[in-house]
Amino acid sequence: MLTLVIGGAASGKSAYAEWLCLQSPLPRTYLATMQIWDAECAARVAKHRAMRAEKQFDTIECPRQLDRVRLPQRGTVLLEDLGNLTANELYSPDGAGAHTAEQILAGIEKLTLQCENLILVSNEVFSGGADYLGDTDRYLRVLAAVNNAAAARADAVVRVVCGIPVYYKGSETQ
């Protein structure tokens, strides 16, 4: 089962995605996409890793190259988040660059073959009506392409607004 959880900044999407994972039996794997740039990032990652361990998640750091992830066991996988992954692939010197959307989508497809449930978290884009230029527009367009393709492939799509999940495709009880 593939579920896409989408929402704006601080909408509650990550908390809801974790809650969905906790409803599933073990094992649980957390694919963390944050790129570690400095000591502050490293401390934040260590804190989040400890919090996830308390919830019985095994963590795999995956800032790029999602298609190379090999899960040690089946079960439920939470990928947090497509926005970070897109930025890392798009802007890292060794990232996918112009092929970012295709590479991420190929990685998602490979993950679906390795687990029972895959839950993707992503930022909602282009709903604010603002126009963006340059690299910001490029990033948002690539993330929108990833989101749209993931939603088309997903069994369930849920948008979280003010902490309230609203299903657009599928249902919570699938």
Side-chain angles (χ1 to χ4, degrees):
M1 168 123 175
L2 175 61
T3 302
L4 174 62
V5 179
I6 197 162
S11 64
K13 63 188 175 291
S14 296
Y16 183 72
E18 278 194 20
W19 180 84
L20 282 176
C21 287
L22 295 175
Q23 306 314 300
S24 300
L26 296 172
R28 295 184 196 110
T29 303
Y30 195 106
L31 292 178
T33 62
M34 184 175 171
Q35 181 73 48
I36 299 173
W37 298 106
D38 56 22
E40 183 180 332
C41 287
R44 187 173 168 194
V45 165
K47 176 185 168 189
H48 287 171
R49 186 180 278 266
M51 288 173 18
R52 291 189 296 263
E54 289 175 11
K55 297 176 183 177
Q56 297 181 296
F57 279 101
D58 293 318
T59 299
I60 297 175
E61 304 294 337
C62 181
R64 288 183 314 285
Q65 301 176 328
L66 183 61
D67 60 325
R68 294 187 182 177
V69 170
R70 298 296 170 261
L71 297 173
Q73 50 197 351
R74 294 188 67 80
T76 297
V77 175
L78 172 58
L79 189 151
E80 172 76 38
D81 70 48
L82 292 175
N84 280 340
L85 187 60
T86 297
N88 296 341
E89 287 289 2
L90 199 55
Y91 298 117
S92 293
D94 56 345
H99 305 287
T100 292
E102 295 86 357
Q103 180 151 332
I104 290 172
L105 294 169
I108 290 169
E109 199 57 40
K110 286 183 178 182
L111 287 175
T112 63
L113 300 174
Q114 298 180 60
C115 62
E116 302 297 326
N117 299 303
L118 175 59
I119 299 170
L120 308 172
V121 177
S122 192
N123 292 313
E124 184 175 345
V125 294
F126 291 123
S127 63
D131 289 326
Y132 298 95
L133 301 174
D135 277 345
T136 301
D137 183 67
R138 177 181 176 215
Y139 164 76
L140 292 173
R141 289 189 185 284
V142 172
L143 181 55
V146 170
N147 287 348
N148 291 345
R153 166 70 173 81
D155 301 294
V157 177
V158 58
R159 180 176 178 226
V160 180
V161 180
C162 299
I164 301 169
V166 178
Y167 277 78
Y168 288 83
K169 184 178 182 182
S171 69
E172 186 179 301
T173 59
Q174 280 185 313

